[in-house]
Amino acid sequence: MHLSFRILLCFSALLLSAPALATDNGETAERWFRQGAERAHQLGAGNANAKNIILFIGDGMSLTTVSAARIYEGQQRQQTGEENQLSFERFPYTAFSKTYNTDSQTPDSAGTMTAMITGAKTRMGFLSVGQIPTRGDCAAGLKQPLTSAVTLAKAAGLSTGVVTTTRITHATPGATYAHSPERNWESDADMPAAAKAQGCKDIAAQLLEYASGTGIDVVMGGGLNKFLPPSAKDYRNAKGSRKDGRNLMAEWQKLQPATAFVYSASALAKLDLGKTGRLVGLFNGDHLSYEYDRVADKEDEPSLAEMTRSAISLLKKNPNGYFLMVEGGRIDHAHHSGNAFRALTDTLAFSDAIHAATELTSDKDTLILVTADHAHTMSFVGYPQRGNPILGKVFGKSSEDDPPSLVKDLLGKPYTTLVYANGPGYVGESSLQPAGSKNFPHNPGGYFEPATGRPDLTEVDTEHPNFMQEALVPTNSETHGGDDVGIWASGPGSEAVRGNLEQNVIFHLLIQPQPMIRKYLCAKGYCDKNVPIKLPKVD
């Protein structure tokens, strides 16, 4: 047989076997959990004692995003920018996180957050549910719930909190308290009748049940619409979307009359947190505003830093400690929209929140771990000279040996330092905007006409907040990236944050240094030689 033909046959056989390898490889939640626990133990995570745990997640905060935001912040301070450091870049320990889902090289936020918060990887679209075969299979999902670190912390006697700039029912916050084989089941209006009939509950309803059962001390974010019927009033212009007629906020307030419920930044600022036992703050019907728009439009919404300060001020009253998750969720959304400006400004708001946390805590008793759930396709291109505006056009060299100038491509047109591999910034004509550079927001919802060439950016203000970076491939929404993301850590247990880690190891790096969580798990029989190594069951 001819050699090239044999190679072709072997390659074809490999391709045909790939789907089987992706699913029939013995992976289980139990195996993921054990392997993650062993890795964290080998790194020495259990050698420390951390009273408090704070997990910061920059949704979609790729390493390129961190680099660009670092430079942008420095340039806002009249520096060249490259020498700047974001707040968490000053942390002493770093690592990389491998973000793939069990069924996808490029992950989504549901599967990635499930890995970080339960210690077991799972499929795309699942919230704290094991890797059952079919997304949206309610009956199978009910049989494989995974316990979150927030649940374990509360069971161990710690106070707990979840803070986000997205809807509180969105993927990242949702995985901390809900179990769903479909991340989009945020309210009953989002669910099929068959799933309801099989006993699945929407994520908003699960949060209400969780708060009144397991208990959670701080909940802040957006998403009021998912909790309200259309007839609800007095909730800051929220437009309820529930079809079952339930007002979950009214029910919540009735179940927990001592909890403080606030719906604006001004109301949050008026609270006496020293006298507040529990706090629920939902500040928008949908996601919270991007940081730039929140400030420019004078929205009565708190910043992520303000929410973080409030959460820590309330939670720290517990002598046993606390577990807090804080998400900068709209970094991801700006990337999806092809708008680097808002992605970078929300990254800076995220960094400010981390700085606020470091001011209110001590690295002697508080482990702070910062990471991202996944990357994005934004790239940092060309040879711009040092100090070149990060949102500007490339002024530097066409190649390593050329003198500095406004760099042009082979069509004779300038280009920007930041571009996207795909997304709505494609320069062809769409149903909403003509051919050429696109302006935020641009959600074409249909097809683009093929571009006949790149637009001339010479006279275009690429640093304008609404400029959308060019995209190579036209898609309605820019996609996630499959590359590794960073982990930064400080405080007790941070020494274990090193190397290239499976994303589910993060869970174990968080819980192994916390003595009360470790004691609770061992008392329940989940430990081997004082190491929590067995997958805990949902009580």
Side-chain angles (χ1 to χ4, degrees):
M1 187 182 292
H2 194 275
L3 179 60
S4 61
F5 184 67
R6 288 201 301 270
I7 293 173
L8 179 61
L9 284 177
C10 291
F11 184 67
S12 298
L14 180 62
L15 288 177
L16 288 172
S17 66
L21 289 172
T23 56
D24 187 20
N25 55 10
E27 288 179 356
T28 63
E30 288 79 9
R31 195 175 92 175
W32 281 115
F33 191 91
R34 176 176 288 274
Q35 290 176 342
E38 290 172 345
R39 180 74 169 121
H41 177 63
Q42 290 167 358
L43 291 167
N47 296 335
N49 284 302
K51 176 182 177 182
N52 309 310
I53 309 291
I54 307 178
L55 172 61
F56 279 96
I57 298 173
D59 198 312
M61 191 180 69
S62 63
L63 290 173
T64 305
T65 306
V66 173
S67 298
R70 169 202 310 147
I71 294 171
Y72 184 68
E73 181 182 61
Q75 291 177 346
Q76 297 301 105
R77 297 171 176 172
Q78 309 306 311
Q79 303 168 357
T80 53
E82 294 83 2
E83 71 285 0
N84 184 49
Q85 286 184 305
L86 299 177
S87 62
F88 54 91
E89 291 187 284
R90 301 184 182 96
F91 286 3
Y93 296 97
T94 60
F96 292 112
S97 171
K98 297 164 65 176
T99 64
Y100 64 93
N101 296 144
T102 60
D103 62 342
S104 185
Q105 286 181 343
T106 299
D108 87 321
S109 296
T112 52
M113 184 56 177
T114 295
M116 290 187 282
I117 207 68
T118 72
K121 286 204 175 200
T122 192
R123 294 175 182 260
M124 181 180 285
F126 290 7
L127 293 181
S128 294
V129 168
Q131 56 191 80
I132 60 174
T134 307
R135 182 169 174 173
D137 185 342
C138 170
L142 290 171
K143 296 176 183 178
Q144 293 198 39
L146 299 174
T147 308
S148 82
V150 175
T151 298
L152 294 175
K154 175 56 70 172
L158 280 68
S159 291
T160 57
V162 175
V163 173
T164 180
T165 54
T166 69
R167 295 189 297 268
I168 197 68
T169 50
H170 210 237
T172 300
T176 64
Y177 59 83
H179 307 281
S180 179
E182 175 50 70
R183 59 174 287 180
N184 293 315
W185 292 349
E186 295 187 51
S187 84
D188 69 308
D190 304 319
M191 295 183 66
K196 296 177 188 176
Q198 290 176 338
C200 280
K201 297 178 180 178
D202 65 86
I203 296 167
Q206 288 192 57
L207 177 54
L208 174 60
E209 291 187 4
Y210 187 89
S212 59
T214 301
I216 188 166
D217 301 283
V218 173
V219 174
M220 283 190 281
L224 260 172
N225 293 346
K226 304 297 182 180
F227 294 82
L228 302 173
S231 59
K233 306 294 182 184
D234 302 323
Y235 290 97
R236 294 197 65 236
N237 300 318
K239 299 177 181 178
S241 62
R242 299 193 66 84
K243 290 185 176 180
D244 58 9
R246 295 178 65 185
N247 184 327
L248 300 188
M249 299 311 298
E251 291 181 32
W252 198 341
Q253 199 154 2
K254 185 176 181 180
L255 286 167
Q256 295 184 348
T259 296
F261 291 82
V262 292
Y263 304 100
S264 65
S266 52
L268 177 64
K270 293 176 183 176
L271 282 180
D272 183 347
L273 295 171
K275 298 179 180 179
T276 302
R278 288 181 173 178
L279 168 63
V280 175
L282 297 185
F283 306 106
N284 195 305
D286 195 15
H287 303 301
L288 299 190
S289 302
Y290 289 111
E291 177 65 9
Y292 168 75
D293 300 300
R294 183 188 72 85
V295 174
D297 297 340
K298 298 181 180 179
E299 298 284 356
D300 195 4
E301 296 175 4
S303 68
L304 187 60
E306 289 168 342
M307 290 191 289
T308 299
R309 289 191 190 96
S310 297
I312 293 173
S313 297
L314 188 152
L315 295 173
K316 69 180 183 181
K317 293 183 292 184
N318 186 339
N320 293 332
Y322 58 83
F323 188 107
L324 172 64
M325 191 287 292
V326 180
E327 181 199 24
R330 305 224 63 195
I331 302 167
D332 172 76
H333 297 165
H335 278 318
H336 279 307
S337 295
N339 182 229
F341 175 86
R342 285 174 174 79
L344 300 190
T345 50
D346 265 54
T347 301
L348 297 189
F350 179 67
S351 178
D352 289 343
I354 297 165
H355 178 67
T358 61
E359 288 185 322
L360 292 174
T361 60
S362 168
D363 60 9
K364 297 185 185 304
D365 66 2
T366 301
L367 170 61
I368 300 180
L369 188 147
V370 179
T371 189
D373 48 357
H374 55 73
H376 270 276
T377 73
M378 187 176 77
S379 297
F380 196 132
V381 304
Y383 295 100
Q385 65 183 2
R386 182 172 177 183
N388 195 67
I390 192 63
L391 293 169
K393 295 178 274 286
V394 174
F395 188 95
K397 300 181 178 182
S398 297
S399 68
E400 294 96 325
D401 304 318
D402 293 330
S405 64
L406 179 64
V407 177
K408 297 182 179 180
D409 64 11
L410 296 181
L411 302 173
K413 298 175 180 178
Y415 56 92
T416 56
T417 302
L418 301 180
V419 296
Y420 287 97
N422 58 30
Y426 180 70
V427 299
E429 180 182 2
S430 75
S431 59
L432 298 180
Q433 294 189 25
S437 298
K438 298 298 183 287
N439 292 312
F440 176 89
H442 179 232
N443 304 301
Y447 292 97
F448 284 89
E449 293 295 325
T452 57
R454 292 188 56 247
D456 187 348
L457 299 180
T458 304
E459 302 301 325
V460 175
D461 181 6
T462 63
E463 298 178 58
H464 190 280
N466 292 338
F467 175 78
M468 292 174 63
Q469 280 64 28
E470 291 177 67
L472 173 65
V473 177
T475 56
N476 283 324
S477 176
E478 180 267 352
T479 70
H480 298 169
D483 36 315
D484 295 352
V485 297
I487 310 173
W488 299 262
S490 71
S494 60
E495 299 92 340
V497 177
R498 62 186 189 274
N500 199 331
L501 307 175
E502 293 286 359
Q503 193 167 41
N504 61 301
V505 176
I506 290 173
F507 167 91
H508 302 279
L509 293 172
L510 294 171
I511 69 158
Q512 287 188 16
Q514 216 295 327
M516 296 197 66
I517 297 178
R518 194 167 61 240
K519 180 180 178 181
Y520 169 80
L521 287 169
C522 291
K524 288 285 187 176
Y526 296 120
C527 292
D528 184 4
K529 297 179 180 177
N530 204 38
V531 179
I533 206 164
K534 300 175 185 177
L535 184 72
K537 303 298 181 183
V538 176
D539 292 332

